[in-house]
């Protein structure tokens, strides 16, 4: 059944360029003139600059459209506040139209508007990029782009209006943008503000109100969000009062099976990966975790776990492993399953991949509505026949590929922008797809997409993906739907890394979760 919790959050919606144009049009049609919207946009940019820098010589570079119109307001406002301002336009003022022409005329009454030239940077201590907004879809080059690059090389702070010129607002693609120190945008962020490399190019991002009422969001597709607890917290019962599972008697008693039981398939070689997943599932709130591991390495796992259980799988040959796997899944009471982290079974080459494919398909058939998280080896095993995996995905499932695994599993379609590619992958597979990276993108088959932005670079360490898989499975064990569990897991993963700081190892992540959860539930 579709879940609509994210639609409750308007603050975290991401608007495409077309959505923003419709919101602007809605505001105009409801009594806010375009000239007033532009005046307010320029004012809030001016206010953001004055809040961060003391008065200094400023160069404002304006382009031919509304972005340039905003820049003319900024120049006038800064001049009126006593700042030394130099104003330049990439086109003759006579060529401007509409609201931009109006505000250029007002700025021209008190400031000289110069053509672009190398001499403009002489004496400048700050540059405002008001050349092109988020809708630019061609290479940004020529004298204007060269000026910005020279300003950057000279170490001058750059403030971008809406987006750095050359950054595509819908995809985050770099079409020749120069990085900004501050980007001021309006009403809501765009996907390009949160997708890489756009997020890195924007520097600090400020979103400011310019007089567009929230009701204007009714004109947007409302399918893409920036990750935040408000999107999924309502779906997650507080640990002190877990939700009653379907078919259970509402006795009020709380025990480990009410909180959920997570199974983790462990391998014979990378034994740490599965243990990290199990630890994370437990820290996320699962009441019980069990590792199913090859019998030959059972002592390694059993000696390394204190709060979980370890069950051996017969491993004489591929048939024995598959039979033991089905027997265990059928006999045990469980609510979620992690497959993939370090799942090499110790079998000969081709046998290992074929057996893992068999185990995954069997697990999906036996899941019967229970959550399954597939990562790493469980995805790589299907790289030559991904449709076999997609056919087996019938219940709640989360796939967590990194970029290489994503390309191998989804092929040519992965060449699109990350938002579109992940949305198409979820539709094609029928599963929630969590496409990992510095801009982790999470999509479900219904078309909803969330971009996670709180993960620091320190998460690029061995084993952190195994922790993420365990977090998601632990949340699904407690009853979170697959999409919300993936979003919550990604956010908790990022917060745990931020809480630890420099020197992070994957082992440290689960131990940060109690403090993160205290803040979340507080």
């Amino acid at each position: 059944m579709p879940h609509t919790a994210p639609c409750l959050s308007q603050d975290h919606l991401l608007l495409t360029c077309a959505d923003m144009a419709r919101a602007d049009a809605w505001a105009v049609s409801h009594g806010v003139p375009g000239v007033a919207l532009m005046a307010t946009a320029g004012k809030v940019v001016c206010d953001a600059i004055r809040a961060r820098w003391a008065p200094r010589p400023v160069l404002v570079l304006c382009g031919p459209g509304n972005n340039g119109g905003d820049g003319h307001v900024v120049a006038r406002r800064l001049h009126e506040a006593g700042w030394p301002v130099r104003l330049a336009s990439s086109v003759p003022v006579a060529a401007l139209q509409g609201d931009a022409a109006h505000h250029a005329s007002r700025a021209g009454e008190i400031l000289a508007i110069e053509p672009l030239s190398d001499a403009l940077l002489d004496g400048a201590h700050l540059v405002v990029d008001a050349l092109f907004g988020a809708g630019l879809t061609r290479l940004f080059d020529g004298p204007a782009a060269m000026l910005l690059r020279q300003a950057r090389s000279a170490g001058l702070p750059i403030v971008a209006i809406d987006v750095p010129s050359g950054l595509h607002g819908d995809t985050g693609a770099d079409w020749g943008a120069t990085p900004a120190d501050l980007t001021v945008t309006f009403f809501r962020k765009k996907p390009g503000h949160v997708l890489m490399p756009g997020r890195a190019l924007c520097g600090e991002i400020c979103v400011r109100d310019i007089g567009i009422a929230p009701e204007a969001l009714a004109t947007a597709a409302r399918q893409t969000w920036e990750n935040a607890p408000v999107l999924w917290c309502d779906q997650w019962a507080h640990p002190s009062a877990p939700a009653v599972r379907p078919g259970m008697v509402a006795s009020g008693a709380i025990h480990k099976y009410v909180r959920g039981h997570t199974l983790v398939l462990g391998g014979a070689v990378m034994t740490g990966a599965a243990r990290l997943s199990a630890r994370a599932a437990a820290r996320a709130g699962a009441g019980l975790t069990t590792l199913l591991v090859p019998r030959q390495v059972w002592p390694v796992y059993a000696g390394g776990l204190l709060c979980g259980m370890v069950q051996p799988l017969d491993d004489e040959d591929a048939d024995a492993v598959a039979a033991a796997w089905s027997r265990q899944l059928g006999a045990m009471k469980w609510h979620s399953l992690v497959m993939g982290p370090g799942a090499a079974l110790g079998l000969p080459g081709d046998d290992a991949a074929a057996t893992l494919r068999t185990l995954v398909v069997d697990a999906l058939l036996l899941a019967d509505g229970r959550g399954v998280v597939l990562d790493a080896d469980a995805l790589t095993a299907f790289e030559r026949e991904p449709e076999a995996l997609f056919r087996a995905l019938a219940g709640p499932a989360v796939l967590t590929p990194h970029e290489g695994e994503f390309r191998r599993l989804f092929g040519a379609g992965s060449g699109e922008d990350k938002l579109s590619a992940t949305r198409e992958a979820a539709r094609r597979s029928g599963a929630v797809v969590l496409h990992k990276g510095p801009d982790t993108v999470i999509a479900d088959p219904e078309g909803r997409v969330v971009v996670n932005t709180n993960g620091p670079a320190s998460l690029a360490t061995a084993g952190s993906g195994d922790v993420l898989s365990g977090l998601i499975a632990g949340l699904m064990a407690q009853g979170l739907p697959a999409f919300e569990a993936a979003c919550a897991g990604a956010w908790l993963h990022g917060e745990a890394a931020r809480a630890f700081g420099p020197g992070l190892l994957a082992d440290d992540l689960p131990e940060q979760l109690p403090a993160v959860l205290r803040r979340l539930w507080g």
Side-chain angles (χ1 to χ4, degrees):
M1 181 172 118
H3 296 274
T4 57
C7 297
L8 299 176
S9 173
Q10 294 185 334
D11 291 343
H12 299 279
L13 275 169
L14 299 173
L15 300 185
T16 65
C17 297
D19 287 335
M20 190 62 206
R22 285 190 290 267
D24 281 338
W26 185 95
V28 170
S29 70
H30 285 75
V32 185
V35 70
L37 290 174
M38 188 171 288
T40 306
K43 176 186 181 301
V44 298
V45 174
C46 176
D47 291 344
I49 292 171
R50 295 180 65 193
R52 287 162 178 78
W53 287 279
R56 63 193 59 205
V58 177
L59 170 63
V60 182
L61 300 174
C62 296
N66 286 343
N67 199 254
D70 298 339
H72 286 291
V73 178
V74 172
R76 177 172 59 83
R77 286 276 188 173
L78 287 173
H79 175 78
E80 291 171 347
W83 288 45
V85 176
R86 198 167 182 180
L87 174 60
S89 175
S90 64
V91 297
V93 173
L96 299 177
Q97 298 179 351
D99 303 329
H102 169 83
H103 284 293
S105 175
R106 290 198 63 188
E109 294 171 358
I110 55 175
L111 288 165
I113 303 178
E114 305 177 55
L116 298 186
S117 72
D118 293 343
L120 289 170
L121 291 174
D122 294 345
H125 287 192
L126 186 146
V127 175
V128 176
D129 170 10
L131 289 159
F132 291 97
L136 187 70
T137 57
R138 59 175 175 79
L139 183 66
F140 175 53
D141 207 351
M146 182 61 70
L147 269 175
L148 288 176
R149 287 195 287 270
Q150 290 173 347
R152 189 71 182 180
S153 296
L156 301 182
I158 297 176
V159 177
I161 298 179
D162 192 18
V163 297
S165 294
L167 171 62
H168 194 293
D170 288 347
T171 68
D174 180 4
W175 292 75
T178 294
D181 297 275
L182 170 69
T183 296
V184 184
T185 192
F186 315 117
F187 189 46
R188 295 295 184 275
K189 289 181 186 176
K190 298 176 179 66
H193 290 122
V194 297
L195 293 167
M196 297 296 283
R199 192 169 88 222
L201 291 167
C202 286
E204 179 190 355
I205 300 173
C206 292
V207 183
R208 293 292 181 262
D209 174 34
I210 58 170
I212 302 175
E215 288 77 12
L217 293 170
T219 64
R222 314 189 94 192
Q223 285 283 79
T224 308
W225 294 263
E226 183 176 10
N227 201 8
V230 69
L231 303 184
W232 35 264
C233 253
D234 286 349
Q235 299 276 339
W236 187 4
H238 191 283
S240 66
V244 176
R245 297 180 177 284
M248 290 184 64
V249 176
S251 64
I254 299 173
H255 53 77
K256 58 181 176 284
Y257 284 107
V258 172
R259 294 179 62 192
H261 182 193
T262 296
L263 303 185
V264 181
L265 174 65
V269 182
M270 297 174 62
T271 60
R275 284 184 285 174
L276 284 169
S277 289
R279 183 78 171 173
R283 283 294 193 195
L288 180 64
T289 57
T290 298
L291 276 84
L292 299 170
V293 305
R295 187 177 296 278
Q296 61 174 306
V297 291
W298 178 86
V300 175
Y301 286 93
L305 288 179
L306 298 177
C307 63
M309 299 192 300
V310 186
Q311 295 287 341
L313 296 173
D314 294 329
D315 56 359
E316 293 84 5
D317 55 39
D319 290 340
V321 173
W325 174 250
S326 294
R327 187 167 58 250
Q328 291 278 23
L329 287 187
M332 299 179 73
K333 180 180 181 180
W334 56 278
H335 304 101
S336 68
L337 169 66
V338 182
M339 299 184 71
L345 299 170
L347 298 168
D350 290 342
D351 282 353
T355 301
L356 189 52
R357 287 195 295 272
T358 299
L359 301 191
V360 170
V361 171
D362 284 352
L364 292 170
L365 291 173
L366 292 168
D368 191 27
R370 292 171 287 195
V372 178
V373 180
L374 301 180
D375 185 25
D377 294 339
L379 300 176
T380 302
F382 288 92
E383 62 183 21
R384 295 181 182 176
E385 44 181 318
E387 296 301 329
L389 172 61
F390 303 157
R391 286 192 298 270
L393 288 165
V398 180
L399 315 183
T400 62
H402 58 55
E403 185 61 36
E405 292 162 347
F406 186 91
R407 290 183 180 278
R408 289 193 291 272
L409 196 61
F410 294 103
S414 62
E416 307 168 52
D417 68 88
K418 192 168 185 176
L419 211 64
S420 300
T422 310
R423 181 178 272 128
E424 173 58 21
R427 185 204 63 76
R428 181 181 164 197
S429 65
V432 172
V433 175
L434 185 149
H435 189 172
K436 291 186 287 198
D439 53 351
T440 290
V441 175
I442 306 150
D444 76 354
E446 300 160 17
R448 294 180 298 172
V449 179
V450 162
V451 183
N452 194 71
T453 58
N454 71 339
S458 58
L459 280 172
T461 185
S464 78
D466 306 321
V467 173
L468 176 59
S469 296
L471 287 174
I472 296 168
L475 295 166
M476 293 177 79
Q478 297 169 72
L480 263 75
F483 183 67
E484 284 77 7
C487 295
W491 187 87
L492 292 171
H493 195 234
E495 288 300 296
R498 286 155 61 101
F500 186 87
L504 176 75
L505 299 177
D507 315 47
D508 303 315
L509 288 166
E511 310 319 309
Q512 301 305 309
L513 284 170
V516 171
L517 292 174
R518 278 194 297 272
R519 290 195 297 272
L520 178 65
W521 294 116

